[in-house]
Structure formats: C-alpha cells, structure tokens
Amino acid sequence: MLTSSHPTSFMLPDLVAHCTFPLSYHPNGDDIAQQSVAWLDSNCPDLALKQRRALRGLQAGELTAYCYNTTSSERLRVVSDFMNYLFHLDNISDGMMTRETDVLSDVVMNALWFSDHYRPTHGPGKEQSDEELNPGKLARDFWARCIPDAGPGVQARFKETLELFFEAVNIQARARDDGIIPDLESYIDVRRDTSGCKPCWALIEYALDIDLPDYVVEHPIIESLNQGTNDLVTWSNDIFSYNVEQSRGDTHNMIVILMKYHGHDLQSAIDYVGNLCAQTIDAFNENKSRLPSWGAEVDEMVGRYLKGLQDWIVGSLHWSFMTHRYFGANGAEVKQHRLVKLLPREQ
C-alpha cells in the first residue's frame, strides 16, 4: 500500500475518536445553509459553473450550524454568510500575485471601516476604482447586518483579525511568487492567520450576544485556548486538505514542510501532525481546568464562549468528512476506514 518514496495512499489519524466534546447542530441549520449559499451564488455573477458546484458542495453553512448551534437563526445567517464568504476569499486569493492580494485586502477592509457606503481611497499606491469591487460589496452586505448586534469589542476584534488574515495571505502569496517553502516555525506563524479562524472566534461572541472584556480576551489562558483551537482546526485541515492540495502542487501545508525539511515520509508526516492535533485537544482541556474566576457574570460569558470553541473543534472535525472539498462524495466512507488514495497531479 505504501512505500516511503512513492506512496499511493495514506491513513488518517483518528481525531474524531480522540475528541470527546458533544456534537450539536442548529435546529434551523439546513434552511439557513441553503439561504446563505444562495446569497453568495446570486451575488457572484462571475463564478464559473464548476465554481458554483464547488460552492454548494462546500457546505460552509453546515459547518456554521455545527459551530454556532445555539444562536438565533438571524445571527446564524450572518455568520453563515461570512463563512461562505471566507472560503470564497480563500479560493480567489489562492491564485493571486502579491499586488492582487493587496487590492483585495484594501477593498474588503474599506467595506468594514465604512459600512454605510463605499468611499474609495485615492492615496498613492492605494488608489481604488470608482466602482466598488464585488468582494467589497459582499463584505459590506453581511457586515452591515452584523454590526447592529455586535458589541464594540467584537467589532474591533473582527476587523483586527481579518486584517491579520489579509497580511498573512499577502505573505503566502509572496512566498508563492518566489517559489519559497518556509521553515516550520515561519509557516505556523503565518498559518495561524491564513486559516481565518481568528475572526470566527470574534463571531462566537456575536453569535452568543456577549462582548468579553479586554482583560479576559488578553488573559494568557484565554489566549492559549484560542490559539489551541486555531491550531487544531488549522493543522487537522492540513491533513484533510493535503490530498487535493498535492494534486494541485500547492505547498502551503505543514505536511509538505515536514517532508521537505524534517526527513519525514508522507505517512510519518501525517502521523506527526495528527499527534500535534491530539495534543492540542488535551492541552485545551488542561487549560480549561486552569481558568481563573472573574465573578459570576463574566464567568458565565466565558463558559459559553469556551463552549463555542469546543463546538468549533468537534464540529470542524466531523464537517471535514461531510464537505466535498477534501474527499469529494466519499467523505463518509473515508471517515469510517480512514484510508485516502492519492490523487494524480494535475497538469
């Protein structure tokens, strides 16, 4: 089945079994998911038929229904629209050169800072067209629906972390332009932002109708819980997405780096990342037990927020076998036997 030099398949780690958090799904999740995918589909006239099929096979709304399963239907719709939009940004930025990612970042952040109407900038090197680009229109649409119910801390954290996402996408594009595969430490530093998880953590607060005090958000244990959840979602995604990415020649993946710089073959790299993922779940539980108390009112908010992080951990693991993004229509079968056959390289 496997040889170190020319593998034809690999075995996934059993992360679903290692994660014991309860899996829940929003009662209106399916309906909201359909509304949300229709929103993006109808507002992206330039998408090709293949991209539209991929959008519906993605099931980003179903991921949202797992991860934000206690919110109102109205707020679930806003978060679901962002999730579809975030995957859309990821898809369109994958083939971009550095200059193009700068333009994308500017137009999206413009929409977040000036949510009432489009205000193009005309500064040197930052000139924007008089007609707003489509990614800006989409951002303005969901953000205008989000901010009436989002506290000031939530809004600030969302904008700050989405800016970090674009900065990291720019670094990734520059490395792609130059044909560079970064070392492991540099990769992890950038990947924690290219994942797009951090703005999703701000939306946990929005979904739960809370606005955590800065002294809570900045507490080292809360920061560790946030980062641990990000690492689990991100590194497990590197495992699940590896097959499709290697077929396209994409190198922004921890498994590629482990094989290039650390002497791993494919299976040992998969196992190594799987062990890292299991350790993040264990560390998450350990950090939860070390939380201080900030008083009954704040502790109640923190408890709900941590439940939101847990829902992301378990929800993302199960969703990865539902979406067609990684295993096509064979996700349920792969989830059961964990054997992945390598796809041929695209020409």
Side-chain angles (χ1 to χ4, degrees):
M1 181 183 71
L2 286 169
T3 65
S4 60
S5 56
H6 299 290
T8 58
S9 59
F10 60 89
M11 289 292 293
L12 295 172
D14 196 357
L15 295 175
V16 169
H18 191 84
C19 180
T20 59
F21 300 140
L23 182 69
S24 300
Y25 194 79
H26 194 282
N28 294 330
D30 288 347
D31 289 342
I32 300 297
Q34 290 306 309
Q35 295 171 27
S36 184
V37 77
W39 168 78
L40 189 66
D41 193 2
S42 63
N43 284 290
C44 292
D46 295 333
L47 287 182
L49 181 60
K50 180 180 179 182
Q51 292 171 307
R52 295 185 190 281
R53 280 199 292 260
L55 173 63
R56 295 188 177 275
L58 169 64
Q59 297 182 296
E62 284 80 354
L63 172 62
T64 313
Y66 279 122
C67 299
Y68 304 85
N69 53 71
T70 62
T71 191
S72 68
S73 294
E74 292 75 19
R75 295 193 189 206
L76 182 69
R77 171 62 197 278
V78 172
V79 181
S80 187
D81 285 358
F82 173 70
M83 292 291 285
N84 272 294
Y85 177 70
L86 182 62
F87 279 105
H88 177 62
L89 287 180
D90 184 56
N91 288 339
I92 63 178
S93 67
D94 268 350
M96 285 184 169
M97 307 293 278
T98 308
R99 169 63 187 148
E100 293 171 312
T101 62
D102 280 337
V103 173
L104 181 64
S105 171
D106 288 345
V107 72
V108 174
M109 296 311 298
N110 182 301
L112 298 189
W113 284 106
F114 307 116
S115 59
D116 53 346
H117 66 278
Y118 179 48
R119 303 184 201 176
T121 58
H122 300 289
K126 292 290 185 180
E127 299 90 350
Q128 293 178 318
S129 64
D130 291 334
E131 172 65 23
E132 186 173 24
L133 299 178
N134 197 55
K137 293 177 181 178
L138 289 165
R140 187 179 310 282
D141 187 314
F142 79 77
W143 186 237
R145 287 179 280 129
C146 179
I147 53 179
D149 298 312
V154 173
Q155 292 187 41
R157 282 188 280 279
F158 182 85
K159 288 187 287 192
E160 178 186 355
T161 52
L162 196 62
E163 185 75 63
L164 291 174
F165 165 78
F166 282 116
E167 290 175 6
V169 165
N170 189 276
I171 293 171
Q172 179 188 353
R174 196 177 308 130
R176 187 169 55 233
D177 292 351
D178 297 337
I180 294 172
I181 299 177
D183 61 78
L184 185 59
E185 185 176 352
S186 300
Y187 170 78
I188 289 174
D189 189 47
V190 172
R191 188 71 174 97
R192 282 171 172 157
D193 287 310
T194 59
S195 70
C197 283
K198 292 177 182 178
C200 296
W201 297 177
L203 292 180
I204 293 175
E205 296 179 68
Y206 163 76
L208 296 173
D209 194 19
I210 60 177
D211 194 354
L212 294 172
D214 287 345
Y215 61 81
V216 171
V217 175
E218 295 164 4
H219 191 280
I221 294 180
I222 296 293
E223 288 182 339
S224 293
L225 287 161
N226 283 336
Q227 182 167 291
T229 308
N230 191 346
D231 288 346
L232 180 280
V233 173
T234 302
W235 297 345
S236 64
N237 181 261
D238 277 12
I239 296 173
F240 298 137
S241 66
Y242 172 77
N243 195 21
V244 172
E245 290 179 2
Q246 65 83 25
S247 73
R248 299 193 309 242
D250 190 347
T251 58
H252 189 66
N253 190 299
M254 187 186 290
I255 291 160
V256 173
I257 292 167
L258 289 171
M259 289 192 290
K260 181 174 178 62
Y261 296 124
H262 295 268
H264 284 274
D265 60 25
L266 175 57
Q267 188 61 56
S268 69
I270 295 285
D271 293 342
Y272 184 91
V273 180
N275 286 332
L276 285 182
C277 291
Q279 290 169 26
T280 64
I281 296 173
D282 296 342
F284 184 95
N285 286 320
E286 172 63 23
N287 279 318
K288 271 203 314 179
S289 70
R290 298 171 51 230
L291 269 177
S293 173
W294 291 282
E297 182 179 354
V298 173
D299 288 355
E300 190 269 341
M301 288 193 294
V302 170
R304 293 169 65 208
Y305 177 75
L306 296 188
K307 167 70 163 49
L309 292 178
Q310 288 181 188
D311 288 338
W312 253 101
I313 291 172
V314 65
S316 67
L317 289 175
H318 285 268
W319 169 83
S320 294
F321 298 98
M322 287 179 53
T323 176
H324 292 188
R325 190 175 175 92
Y326 309 125
F327 308 114
N330 302 319
E333 184 182 344
V334 173
K335 187 179 185 181
Q336 181 177 8
H337 57 59
R338 297 188 286 120
L339 177 67
V340 179
K341 296 180 180 179
L342 282 175
L343 295 167
R345 286 290 292 269
E346 296 177 1
Q347 297 303 313

